[in-house]
Amino acid sequence: MRIWQTAAGLILISLAIIIMPHYFSTKSEAVLAESMEHTVSAKGGQFKELALENTDNESVNEGFSEKLAHFLTNPFIIPLLLTLASVGFVIELFSPGFGLWGLAAIIAMILFFYGHLVAGTAGYETVGLFVAGIILIVLELFLPGGIVGALGLFAVIGSLFMASGNLIHMAVSVLVAVTASILVSILYVKVFDRKMNFFKRMILTDQANTDKGYVSNQNRLELIGKQGRAMTDLRPSGTAVIEDERVDVVTEGSFITKGTLVKVMKTEGSRIVVREVT
């Protein structure tokens, strides 16, 4: 169930990032075109083929999408969005089901890429690389080797740097987000003694022990204290007859000749330990 929820979240991220910039940018372009049309009419055709003769008198207001993009790409907002996404993801790993932290992480990444798409520093290929990286990381949980997970991690981090207009600032933002997620993980494990519920469903934790009735082989406890004779020389292993039953036995380390009277001292599964009767 958690895998399907993660996949659904990835699909929502992709659709939202692809549709929202197109929708708002289309409205902004329409408003901008109407504003320019009135301006050109008022100026008596002073603007021709995008050539501005008097740019000091022109004032074009930003649309909602541009203002939101400027806010979301602010150097102080980017690390907050990445930290919220990483911390939300970590908390979801410790939670029994998909909750508000997971939703907050998805929304944070939608806002991150939306802002950079509208600002023009990121393209849809960047979003595709991020989603592909997340998918590879999820697949790593089912595939051995670690190569798929490493590729997914590089893809996610690479998409963040591709979306950024300032590599140094993005490096600092990623470092802040990773540090915060590590601290939250330590807090959950060391302070709250929590375990990742996500991995509990994929890791076998049941133990096969004798308390639950599981035995690897037959334990001959009924032979302890019984006596018999060695059918072969015990060097130290060999064969003995105990209560008319031929069994494989082993001594405690000493050599016992054939025909010697022996006594069963202990049994360890199918291993029967005998000692010479003196």
Side-chain angles (χ1 to χ4, degrees):
M1 182 63 69
R2 295 292 297 278
I3 298 298
W4 290 112
Q5 292 172 343
T6 303
L10 294 176
I11 294 174
L12 289 176
I13 291 177
S14 304
L15 292 177
I17 292 175
I18 292 174
I19 295 174
M20 290 175 62
H22 178 73
Y23 174 75
F24 285 112
S25 61
T26 302
K27 292 186 62 177
S28 298
E29 290 172 0
V31 174
L32 182 59
E34 183 179 356
S35 176
M36 292 181 65
E37 181 180 352
H38 287 294
T39 303
V40 170
S41 177
K43 294 294 184 179
Q46 294 181 359
F47 301 102
K48 292 183 179 180
E49 296 180 358
L50 302 180
L52 305 181
E53 295 179 0
N54 188 8
T55 57
D56 294 336
N57 296 328
E58 181 192 12
S59 176
V60 179
N61 294 327
E62 290 184 339
F64 171 76
S65 60
E66 286 79 10
K67 292 181 179 179
L68 181 59
H70 287 168
F71 173 76
L72 295 176
T73 54
N74 186 285
F76 296 100
I77 300 301
I78 292 177
L80 292 179
L81 291 175
L82 295 181
T83 300
L84 178 60
S86 60
V87 170
F89 175 74
V90 170
I91 294 178
E92 276 300 310
L93 293 179
F94 289 94
S95 302
F98 188 81
L100 293 178
W101 282 105
L103 181 61
I106 293 176
I107 293 176
M109 293 312 303
I110 290 177
L111 293 176
F112 173 84
F113 282 107
Y114 169 77
H116 287 81
L117 282 171
V118 175
T121 58
Y124 293 128
E125 69 280 357
T126 305
V127 180
L129 181 63
F130 174 81
V131 175
I134 295 296
I135 294 176
L136 289 176
I137 293 176
V138 174
L139 289 177
E140 174 60 29
L141 301 176
F142 305 95
L143 300 176
I147 298 178
V148 175
L151 292 176
L153 182 62
F154 283 126
V156 169
I157 296 178
S159 66
L160 298 180
F161 280 95
M162 287 176 60
S164 173
N166 189 321
L167 297 182
I168 296 179
H169 179 263
M170 180 55 64
V172 174
S173 301
V174 171
L175 181 61
V176 170
V178 171
T179 302
S181 60
I182 293 176
L183 292 177
V184 171
S185 299
I186 295 176
L187 181 67
Y188 267 77
V189 174
K190 297 297 183 180
V191 178
F192 299 114
D193 194 23
R194 299 279 294 275
K195 295 182 179 180
M196 292 188 178
N197 292 283
F198 181 80
F199 296 105
K200 284 182 179 179
R201 303 185 180 186
M202 297 185 300
I203 299 176
L204 181 63
T205 58
D206 293 337
Q207 297 180 353
N209 49 45
T210 55
D211 294 337
K212 296 181 179 180
Y214 296 99
V215 291
S216 58
N217 46 49
Q218 186 178 5
N219 200 336
R220 303 300 301 274
L221 297 176
E222 75 278 2
L223 295 179
I224 297 178
K226 303 294 184 180
Q227 294 185 357
R229 289 194 178 272
M231 290 188 61
T232 63
D233 292 334
L234 307 182
R235 304 172 180 265
S237 61
T239 305
V241 176
I242 302 174
E243 292 191 337
D244 299 327
E245 181 183 358
R246 182 172 176 173
V247 294
D248 294 327
V249 298
V250 62
T251 69
E252 295 173 314
S254 61
F255 173 78
I256 300 178
T257 59
K258 177 181 178 181
T260 303
L261 186 64
V262 295
K263 180 180 180 179
V264 178
M265 304 306 298
K266 61 181 178 180
T267 60
E268 299 173 348
S270 60
R271 185 171 181 265
I272 302 173
V273 181
V274 298
R275 180 187 300 174
E276 182 180 358
V277 177
T278 56

